[in-house]
Amino acid sequence: MPAAVTAANVSDDPQKYEIEHVHSVYEEIAPHFSSTRYKPWPIIAQFLASLPAGWVGLDSGTGNGKYLPLPLDRPGDVWTIGLDRSRNLLEIARSAGAKRREVVWGDVLDGPWRPGVFDYAISIATIHHLSTHERRREAIQRLLECISPLHGRALIYVWAIEQDDLSKRSITSAQPKAAISVQEDISPAGQDVFVPWVLSAQKSLKSNGARESSASPRQSPQEDDVEGTQEAKSKVFNRYYHMFAKGELPTLVSAAARGLGLDVGDPDDINQGGGTRGIQIVQDGWERSNYYIELRRWEK
Amino acid sequence: MVRLITHNLLACHAKGCTSNNFPLQLKDVQVELRDAEYNADFLRGFISRIEWPALVDAARQLGDTSLPNEPPEMMDDDFLQKLHHVLLEIHIEEGAMICPNCAHVYPISNGIPNMLLAEHEIG
Ligand SMILES: [Zn+2]
């Protein structure tokens, strides 16, 4: 059953809006959501596999913590700390991969860390839940600030307007994004949409139970089959997403960096007159309905 | 989880609190000890990132006095085993962390630290 995506209009108070259309939804659907999220994406797995032993990193918006155990073939060589707004998802993330993980309850717009303390940061399928351009830029700035100014690396994934043919979702409304606020440095504009999550009444009870008993993770993929089977009892949660346009993510990352006084480019190409601190975009692209960008910080 | 590896990374982020905001002070904590997989390569790489006095202080508050005041020149296996235990096997399950500068309280419940701020506290 394809889940239809509909256009969303962000209200005046983006924080309140996200509490209603993102955070409270994940609190409710946590165990069911987690049961459908168990396969790491290849580029993310490669990124984490490339990290040297001894590095520590942040997974900002860790969800069920599926990236915390990686790389699987070198367990414990690096430590990834998971941060999320959903307490119920953290209860699952804390034992991702059947081992104890480090998780912190917090907001991706906050930086409760020693500045530059991490060697790397990842933000996977998270920044697209922020409902204004400014808030998405701030979230990226928090990532840039928490990694080492000398060698810090980061990888960001967001949902794309350009959808894979294999995607289960069909876009029923593709209107241009309404102007929410002044967006001076955004040329490619994405779209604000709702993506439904169908939770059966049975699952809903389970999720309540899970909250009270801090349940262990349920990883069985067959739990994903509830959609459409119990229409009468099921409840639909609409999650807010900002679907990114082509070119929007690198533009946003560059704006975030410049806002912190960082240059954008290869340090070897930035001549006299350029700054002494910056970021370099290592790769950016599209993979299976998502845009990604990898960057590193440099200082000279 | 709040193990001392994480405690050594966290700092207060309340509005305007940008200096003397580390390390957070442990208060009324309950700890549990759990074995973790030993990985010497991780420890050797990670040690340069540690704020050492903060780690030693926190460990002593939790009753572990095995670490020296300065990290040793020679990181032998005996030392790395002690460091491993302090960083990764002591779990703070309940209690709070308090900012030494602004006294903001970050509660720890069921092993998860709450670093969320109220709206007026956000910087
Ligand atoms: Zn403080």
Side-chain angles (χ1 to χ4, degrees):
Chain A
M1 183 186 96
V5 174
T6 54
N9 291 310
V10 178
S11 68
D12 294 339
D13 184 337
Q15 193 181 11
K16 230 183 236 171
Y17 185 84
E18 288 159 19
I19 287 170
E20 182 181 352
H21 295 291
V22 179
H23 306 313
S24 62
V25 176
Y26 279 112
E27 283 298 270
E28 288 294 323
I29 70 175
H32 180 213
F33 172 80
S34 179
S35 71
T36 65
R37 295 289 185 283
Y38 50 93
K39 280 185 203 143
W41 289 68
I43 287 173
I44 305 164
Q46 282 164 24
F47 175 85
L48 294 168
S50 73
L51 303 170
W55 279 28
V56 286
L58 173 66
D59 181 1
S60 182
T62 192
N64 67 351
K66 72 176 163 177
Y67 294 106
L68 302 183
L70 270 59
L72 292 175
D73 59 337
R74 297 190 289 131
D77 261 15
V78 301
W79 272 87
T80 308
I81 315 290
L83 174 89
D84 208 278
R85 245 326 264 270
S86 166
R87 173 89 198 189
N88 287 348
L89 282 172
L90 289 180
E91 295 284 351
I92 297 166
R94 61 186 288 173
S95 49
K99 287 204 182 120
R100 293 283 176 154
R101 308 296 169 190
E102 288 296 286
V103 299
V104 170
W105 192 12
D107 195 301
V108 300
L109 292 171
D110 292 336
W113 317 104
R114 287 198 270 131
V117 76
F118 291 111
D119 300 293
Y120 63 95
I122 60 173
S123 169
I124 311 300
T126 298
I127 288 169
H128 56 211
H129 284 315
L130 295 165
S131 61
T132 69
H133 178 69
E134 289 72 19
R135 290 165 72 79
R136 294 187 284 272
R137 186 176 56 199
E138 278 173 36
I140 291 171
Q141 289 180 332
R142 295 298 88 75
L143 287 179
L144 297 177
E145 286 168 341
C146 81
I147 56 174
S148 162
L150 300 173
H151 66 262
R153 296 173 57 188
L155 179 68
I156 301 167
Y157 259 72
V158 293
W159 211 31
I161 290 177
E162 288 79 17
Q163 289 287 295
D164 195 318
D165 288 343
L166 299 171
S167 170
K168 289 195 290 183
R169 300 189 174 93
S170 62
I171 313 298
T172 57
S173 178
Q175 295 141 355
K177 178 183 162 83
I180 296 161
S181 54
V182 185
Q183 300 184 344
E184 70 293 344
D185 54 8
I186 181 169
S187 32
Q191 288 170 217
D192 294 320
V193 298
F194 281 131
V195 179
W197 186 273
V198 182
L199 190 71
S200 75
Q202 201 184 355
K203 298 295 168 193
S204 185
L205 283 174
K206 267 193 186 175
S207 93
N208 289 337
R211 186 167 41 215
E212 283 157 21
S213 63
S214 65
S216 56
R218 268 184 291 274
Q219 296 283 2
S220 59
Q222 64 269 24
E223 290 207 331
D224 198 20
D225 67 9
V226 295
E227 287 187 32
T229 57
Q230 288 177 297
E231 304 269 344
K233 288 183 195 166
S234 66
K235 189 172 175 190
V236 177
F237 293 91
N238 278 315
R239 279 172 302 162
Y240 167 83
Y241 277 77
H242 176 78
M243 298 171 82
F244 277 67
K246 189 172 170 51
E248 186 178 353
L249 182 59
T251 305
L252 182 66
V253 166
S254 299
R258 293 199 179 97
L260 296 174
L262 301 174
D263 276 347
V264 180
D266 186 332
D268 297 331
D269 296 343
I270 291 173
N271 299 323
Q272 250 183 329
T276 57
R277 302 180 327 140
I279 66 160
Q280 180 181 7
I281 293 171
V282 178
Q283 58 166 339
D284 73 301
W286 179 92
E287 184 192 43
R288 297 288 309 274
S289 309
N290 287 263
Y291 287 117
Y292 63 88
I293 192 164
E294 181 187 343
L295 60 92
R296 69 178 185 97
R297 283 196 61 169
W298 54 261
E299 190 169 292
K300 56 182 183 183
Chain B
M1 262 15 71
V2 192
R3 279 176 267 189
L4 293 188
I5 182 175
T6 301
H7 175 260
N8 205 260
L9 306 172
L10 289 169
C12 181
H13 62 116
K15 193 175 187 170
C17 189
T18 53
S19 63
N20 188 33
N21 57 347
F22 171 89
L24 300 176
Q25 303 301 306
L26 302 173
K27 183 154 184 279
D28 299 332
V29 294
Q30 295 171 29
V31 300
E32 276 182 33
L33 303 181
R34 291 191 190 88
D35 290 342
E37 215 167 308
Y38 175 66
N39 183 320
D41 290 338
F42 170 75
L43 297 167
R44 281 195 204 94
F46 180 61
I47 193 163
S48 63
R49 293 149 173 80
I50 297 173
E51 280 288 329
W52 191 260
L55 181 66
V56 173
D57 274 0
R60 288 179 186 169
Q61 281 180 51
L62 301 180
D64 188 300
T65 56
S66 65
L67 295 181
N69 286 331
E70 303 284 336
E73 305 257 311
M74 287 292 291
M75 286 187 272
D76 60 13
D77 201 54
D78 181 54
F79 165 72
L80 290 177
Q81 291 279 2
K82 288 171 180 161
L83 180 60
H84 166 74
H85 178 72
V86 166
L87 282 175
L88 295 170
E89 295 191 321
I90 305 172
H91 297 249
I92 304 170
E93 295 291 321
E94 302 290 331
M97 294 179 289
I98 298 173
C99 175
N101 184 46
C102 74
H104 193 281
V105 177
Y106 297 97
I108 300 167
S109 155
N110 200 20
I112 299 176
N114 179 357
M115 300 305 289
L116 290 168
L117 298 172
E119 207 164 335
H120 67 277
E121 299 163 333
I122 295 168

